[in-house]
Amino acid sequence: MRWALIGASTIARQYMVGAIRAGHGEISHVLSASAERAGTFAAAHHIPNFGSDLEEILADPDIDAVYISTTNEKHLSQAFAAVKAVKHVLCEKPLALTLEDAVAMVRAADEAGVVFATNHHLRCSGSHRAVRALIASGRIGRVLSLRLHHAVHLPPHLQGWRINAPDAGGGVIPDITVHDADVARFLLGEDPVAVVAQMASSGLGEGVEDSAMSVWTMPSGAMVMSHESFTHPFAGSGLEVHGTDGSIFARDVMTQNPIGLVDLVTASGREAIEFEKHDLYEEGVRRFHAAVAGEGEPAATGLDGVKSLAVALAVRDAAIRGVRVDVNYGGLV
Ligand code: NDP
């Protein structure tokens, strides 16, 4: 697989260059809006070609796939261009700024017959898979509630557009609530139907929210409580799933790294649950490569990206209007 990186981003530098290469993918191009930044990135990561002209890069017939990790408002046009050039697409979350745009991206990829995936890394982690397996095994009985704790401190090097650029898709809801929506869907196997929410600017956000709390109604009747923030240095992350016969406590698992602890508590006592500690992004790339080879689906599909965005948009809408909002999935099922 030959890849082009669309975006000389932090996530590409920190995780995805290594993940693609670990999966025996070759990175042949990197694109940046600034040719100079593209050149610096290419030199640092030994990428042979770089540039600032997307059409020119996509014209290379040897490129099989693109990884899009620019700021959120650029995903739409770049994904459309890649699909038009018949390249497979791994796109960062949120797929787009609006539901209509995300749906259009996924439909275009379907029509072109290319694989389209969303880089929701948490469902690739051993910890989340272990929690999901426990739920599916019936060990905690009927699920009553899920609490998602994802209030972190946004490190200074990521405090640019995320905290001050609504037009670029800034704010904690497009940044982190989308991940939590994907986690809830992955763990419980059902899609939120309605949400209530509040949001705040608690020290970092300039024109965008930096904190949000919301409660989601699930079709089964289970309740989901979700907390995201950029301003909580010591809160730690995690999730809890409570059922009629037991509870699961997973600590430090809303992260980019294969860490954390998972405990099961039932009438028999507390049990530490072992799980695989593989790299989350490498697993996502492995599943993407397999999907391109015709073996199964990506870890998170385009539809998963549409649905996580739909929930996040409903949360923001509910917080703005102060009402319960039904989640609109844009006609995709
Ligand atoms: P960055 O801010 O690092 O990069 C985003 C864009 O900003 C880059 O594509 C680049 O544009 C531009 N940029 C980077 N450095 C500079 C600079 N020094 N001066 C001017 N512009 C610069 O963002 P992230 O890597 O944090 O996020 C990128 C995308 O990835 C987002 O969609 C985000 O939501 C997603 N993401 C996903 C994660 C996950 O786990 N799935 C984790 C982190 C982010 P250009 O390419 O034109 O040079």
Side-chain angles (χ1 to χ4, degrees):
M1 282 274 293
R2 285 184 89 217
W3 288 78
L5 304 182
I6 309 298
S9 66
T10 307
I11 179 74
R13 174 170 57 79
Q14 288 186 328
Y15 289 95
M16 293 304 292
V17 166
I20 289 170
R21 287 180 173 153
H24 307 295
E26 186 190 332
I27 303 173
S28 63
H29 292 72
V30 58
L31 173 113
S32 164
S34 145
E36 189 190 344
R37 207 159 53 236
T40 306
F41 193 99
H45 299 285
H46 311 291
I47 298 170
N49 307 291
F50 62 90
S52 57
D53 185 331
L54 179 58
E55 300 295 335
E56 196 178 297
I57 289 179
L58 292 173
D60 184 333
D62 291 336
I63 294 173
D64 302 301
V66 300
Y67 166 59
I68 298 175
S69 66
T70 46
T71 46
N72 303 334
E73 87 287 8
K74 293 184 179 166
H75 297 174
L76 174 72
S77 61
Q78 292 168 336
F80 263 116
V83 165
K84 195 170 156 214
V86 201
K87 312 296 183 192
H88 304 290
V89 177
L90 173 56
C91 187
E92 271 305 343
K93 42 51 66 174
L95 290 187
L97 301 190
T98 71
L99 190 71
E100 294 71 24
D101 287 350
V103 168
M105 289 158 78
V106 171
R107 285 214 167 112
D110 275 354
E111 281 162 21
V114 296
V115 171
F116 189 104
T118 310
N119 207 25
H120 276 311
H121 63 295
L122 290 171
R123 59 165 67 206
C124 294
S125 76
S127 57
H128 287 247
R129 288 179 177 179
V131 173
R132 186 184 198 226
L134 279 174
I135 296 169
S137 73
R139 295 282 301 276
I140 64 167
R142 181 168 59 85
V143 174
L144 302 169
S145 60
L146 166 65
R147 302 177 187 167
L148 299 163
H149 309 278
H150 209 154
V152 298
H153 186 253
L154 190 66
H157 70 281
L158 296 180
Q159 286 179 15
W161 57 272
R162 276 185 178 78
I163 60 167
N164 63 18
D167 293 347
V172 80
I173 292 175
D175 201 52
I176 307 186
T177 307
V178 284
H179 278 313
D180 290 348
D182 189 62
V183 167
R185 294 187 56 250
F186 178 69
L187 295 182
L188 302 183
E190 54 181 349
D191 300 336
V193 289
V195 307
V196 293
Q198 298 226 3
M199 63 185 184
S201 183
S202 57
L204 277 183
E206 300 162 20
V208 294
E209 79 289 339
D210 60 28
S211 296
M213 286 189 178
S214 52
V215 175
W216 312 342
T217 307
M218 306 302 278
S220 65
M223 296 181 75
V224 177
M225 187 186 85
S226 170
H227 179 201
E228 297 84 21
S229 179
F230 288 153
T231 62
H232 286 49
F234 307 111
S237 80
L239 63 87
E240 299 171 5
V241 196
H242 302 287
T244 49
D245 300 337
S247 288
I248 302 164
F249 297 87
R251 272 185 288 146
D252 297 327
V253 296
M254 311 301 269
T255 79
Q256 296 180 288
N257 300 312
I259 58 171
L261 296 169
V262 177
D263 282 349
L264 170 67
V265 180
T266 63
S268 313
R270 181 174 282 262
E271 182 186 337
I273 303 296
E274 295 297 320
F275 58 87
E276 264 192 58
K277 298 222 166 56
H278 53 255
D279 184 285
L280 284 59
Y281 297 97
E282 287 180 17
E283 174 63 7
V285 169
R286 186 187 71 73
R287 290 280 302 270
F288 185 87
H289 283 171
V292 170
E295 295 157 19
E297 289 203 313
T301 62
L303 179 57
D304 291 318
V306 167
K307 290 191 171 185
S308 65
L309 177 64
V311 176
L313 291 172
V315 166
R316 197 182 247 165
D317 188 26
I320 291 170
R321 295 198 287 130
V323 296
R324 175 187 156 116
V325 169
D326 290 339
V327 183
N328 166 19
Y329 290 104
L332 287 186
V333 284

